[in-house]
Amino acid sequence: MDIIEAKNIDFYYSDFHALKNVSLGIAKNSVTAFIGPSGCGKSTFLRLLNRMNDLIPDTKLAGKCLVNGEDIYAKGVDVDTLRKKIGMVFQKPNPFPKTIFENIAYGLRVNRMGNKEFIRNRVEESLKAAALWDEVKDKMNRSAYDLSGGQQQRLCIARALAVKPDILLMDEPASALDPISTAKIEDLIFDLKTQYTIVIVTHNMQQAARVSDSTGFFMLGELIEFSDTKKMFLNPAKEQTQNYITGRFG
């Protein structure tokens, strides 16, 4: 069974029809990339998966969004618990104005997860999982703002991992980073999929081709094509996909 299932999703910002009848299934422990031109709906769809769009006034959703077989928009769903299970990393690194240690420990403390020793161990595990531990283990009491942009983004990934989510959403996680930091994030995504299901929005088609197992191509709010990444890039089913991938538009 797919860990994420979208069924006939329509989404509106006020009168603007941002997503049109989108249906897809995402397999567990896979990396799924969404590509498409700016404003095509890919980030809107990503934010549906942990109800981040709830924070925007005057929006409307039709259709079903299931995670582990449960409708995440059903009455009585605890959104805080949902967001613990479905972590998110944003385009620009957004560390808290705290120490490196407290950035990772924050979610554990807020959710009252464990004692001091548990938190200390979990912080170390999360930083190791985000391939950052060796770079910061002697600087844990320094401000997170002392880190480089690429390190800050890996810190934000570690922060999301600390509460042990099932799914990690990434909205253009490397677009603000230099090529070396981008390569580290891509290597990290590849390593993390053994334990997590990862969904990534990217403008960078080469990145999608490198890191993902499946790719969805969005255009004007519609999911034009969703398939195995290799197939999409080598032999897309739709002419619109072919035109976008080859740079004829977008």
Side-chain angles (χ1 to χ4, degrees):
M1 187 180 81
D2 290 327
I3 190 170
I4 297 169
E5 291 177 273
K7 298 182 176 180
N8 310 112
I9 295 278
D10 281 273
F11 186 79
Y12 297 83
Y13 294 107
S14 190
D15 296 331
F16 177 63
H17 197 175
L19 291 171
K20 302 167 186 172
N21 198 31
V22 174
S23 296
L24 57 80
I26 292 174
K28 192 172 180 176
N29 295 113
S30 66
V31 179
T32 300
F34 295 141
I35 61 170
S38 293
C40 66
K42 56 191 187 293
S43 287
T44 295
F45 183 79
L46 188 78
R47 290 195 302 266
L48 280 179
L49 301 178
N50 70 345
R51 294 188 51 169
M52 289 295 285
N53 290 329
D54 289 16
L55 304 171
I56 302 167
D58 200 18
T59 57
K60 189 172 74 180
L61 172 76
K64 284 214 158 145
C65 188
L66 308 178
V67 174
N68 285 319
E70 294 183 12
D71 184 354
I72 63 170
Y73 285 87
K75 279 184 182 165
V77 168
D78 185 305
V79 177
D80 290 333
T81 303
L82 176 75
R83 290 189 188 137
K84 200 167 81 179
K85 289 281 183 198
I86 307 175
M88 187 149 194
V89 177
F90 297 91
Q91 183 171 0
K92 287 190 180 153
N94 60 339
F96 301 142
K98 297 174 181 289
T99 65
I100 291 166
F101 182 90
E102 286 300 329
N103 261 272
I104 312 300
Y106 180 79
L108 299 168
R109 294 197 205 284
V110 166
N111 290 294
R112 300 200 168 109
M113 293 170 73
N115 58 20
K116 277 187 181 176
E117 187 182 0
F118 174 87
I119 288 173
R120 195 166 58 246
N121 290 337
R122 193 76 199 108
V123 167
E124 183 176 335
E125 283 170 28
S126 303
L127 287 166
K128 282 178 176 171
L132 191 58
W133 173 249
D134 289 340
E135 294 165 51
V136 302
K137 62 185 176 189
D138 301 322
K139 309 174 186 170
M140 299 295 277
N141 293 319
R142 297 262 296 273
S143 168
Y145 293 152
D146 290 346
L147 299 174
S148 70
Q151 288 174 322
Q152 286 186 15
Q153 192 64 304
R154 280 182 284 146
L155 183 79
C156 293
I157 292 170
R159 187 174 68 196
L161 296 180
V163 294
K164 294 225 164 163
D166 297 327
I167 298 164
L168 193 58
L169 309 178
M170 297 182 162
D171 195 354
E172 306 232 20
S175 67
L177 304 180
D178 62 83
I180 291 169
S181 297
T182 296
K184 284 185 178 175
I185 297 286
E186 289 182 7
D187 289 343
L188 184 54
I189 290 168
F190 190 78
D191 291 341
L192 288 173
K193 79 171 179 181
T194 58
Q195 290 178 273
Y196 304 93
T197 302
I198 297 172
V199 187
I200 178 171
V201 163
T202 179
H203 267 106
N204 184 329
M205 280 186 284
Q206 289 78 20
Q207 184 173 76
R210 284 191 298 263
V211 305
S212 70
D213 302 294
S214 303
T215 298
F217 168 54
F218 282 86
M219 183 79 194
L220 298 173
E222 293 182 42
L223 181 63
I224 304 297
E225 186 167 347
F226 183 70
S227 71
D228 174 84
T229 295
K230 280 196 177 113
K231 181 187 177 304
M232 182 176 287
F233 281 94
L234 294 174
N235 186 26
K238 301 284 179 71
E239 188 180 354
Q240 285 164 290
T241 314
Q242 174 78 31
N243 288 344
Y244 183 70
I245 286 170
T246 55
R248 284 178 212 163
F249 71 85

